[in-house]
Amino acid sequence: MSQNEQKILAARTAVETLVEKGLIFSGMKIGLGTGSTALPAVKRLSEFIADGTLSDIKAVVTSFQTENACADWNIPVYSFKARCIEGHLDLAIDGADEIDVNNNLIKGGGAALLREKIVAYNSSRFVIVADSSKAVQTLGTKFALPVEFIPEAYVPVKLALEKLGASVVLREGVRKCGPVITDNGNQIADCLWKNPVDPVAFEDAINGITGVVETGFFTKNKPSAFIAKADGSVEVRGL
């Protein structure tokens, strides 16, 4: 299977399995993630809503991209501030840029890490869907860790990240002059290390840098994971 086919397989298998096992059911408050693997999961959820299998689903989204998809597919979207959400979700489903053997993650390749973490860390159950290329032994050396920061703080944030051993690159826009601007009006620094780092320790260390809004290490709400393979199988972790 191609990488794109694996993404679709992981996403659809996850939603179908969660519905079958009663872990997604009518009336739930669900966080919906961003990116090329998360969106097929959003689509499959919408199909269950359309055929009447699910009803009264309340979604909180992690980006403008997912908000627009929900509008197209008739999934009601709410703010975390809405009284019916009460600041907490039953389940969140999202993709990952890397997932290690301990189910720690790097997320934020689509620059939506802040909202993704707000959703993930305020959900009773967190589910990741991914293709086989995202499964790695360790984090920090291959896929650049995104760090969202306040634009005015770029220089001190860059210096502080370099003191932690990172090679730091300001993320530039595609078909846009200048840096990427997140949905929250911030910028992204992409960080790589020569050797693997401890994502648990570095999540706290990076978030302690003044001017940093959020880091793409996700370690504090360990997810279940559906990882599709090239042979058409799906590895299920921690369900």
Side-chain angles (χ1 to χ4, degrees), residues 29 78-87:
K29 302 179 291 183
Y78 295 81
S79 164
F80 253 124
K81 296 180 288 186
R83 288 188 178 181
C84 62
I85 300 298
E86 297 180 326

Side-chain angles (χ1 to χ4, degrees), residues 169-192:
V169 175
L170 180 66
R171 189 181 299 184
E172 297 286 332
V174 176
R175 300 179 66 184
K176 170 191 176 294
C177 295
V180 165
I181 305 300
T182 72
D183 289 358
N184 317 296
N186 300 315
Q187 294 177 9
I188 299 288
D190 286 319
C191 304
L192 280 173

Side-chain angles (χ1 to χ4, degrees), residues 27 37 49 208:
T37 312
I49 294 171

Side-chain angles (χ1 to χ4, degrees), residues 66-130:
T66 309
E67 183 176 3
N68 291 341
C70 286
D72 290 339
W73 298 332
N74 298 313
I75 300 177
V77 172
Y78 295 81
S79 164
F80 253 124
K81 296 180 288 186
R83 288 188 178 181
C84 62
I85 300 298
E86 297 180 326
H88 191 79
L89 302 171
D90 301 306
L91 179 144
I93 186 164
D94 205 348
D97 296 303
E98 285 189 337
I99 178 168
D100 73 9
V101 294
N102 297 309
N103 282 12
N104 296 310
L105 312 172
I106 286 180
K107 291 177 51 55
L113 61 155
L114 174 57
R115 296 191 187 188
E116 288 172 344
K117 188 169 282 189
I118 292 170
V119 164
Y121 281 19
N122 290 283
S123 296
S124 295
R125 184 182 295 273
F126 183 28
V127 177
I128 287 295
V129 290

Side-chain angles (χ1 to χ4, degrees), residues 103-105 117 121 199-200 203 217-222:
N103 282 12
N104 296 310
L105 312 172
K117 188 169 282 189
Y121 281 19
V200 176
E203 180 175 5
F217 281 135
F218 283 56
T219 70
K220 298 183 186 301
N221 186 10
K222 290 294 179 69

Side-chain angles (χ1 to χ4, degrees), residues 33-44:
T34 298
S36 59
T37 312
L39 285 187
V42 177
K43 176 64 172 175
R44 188 68 183 103

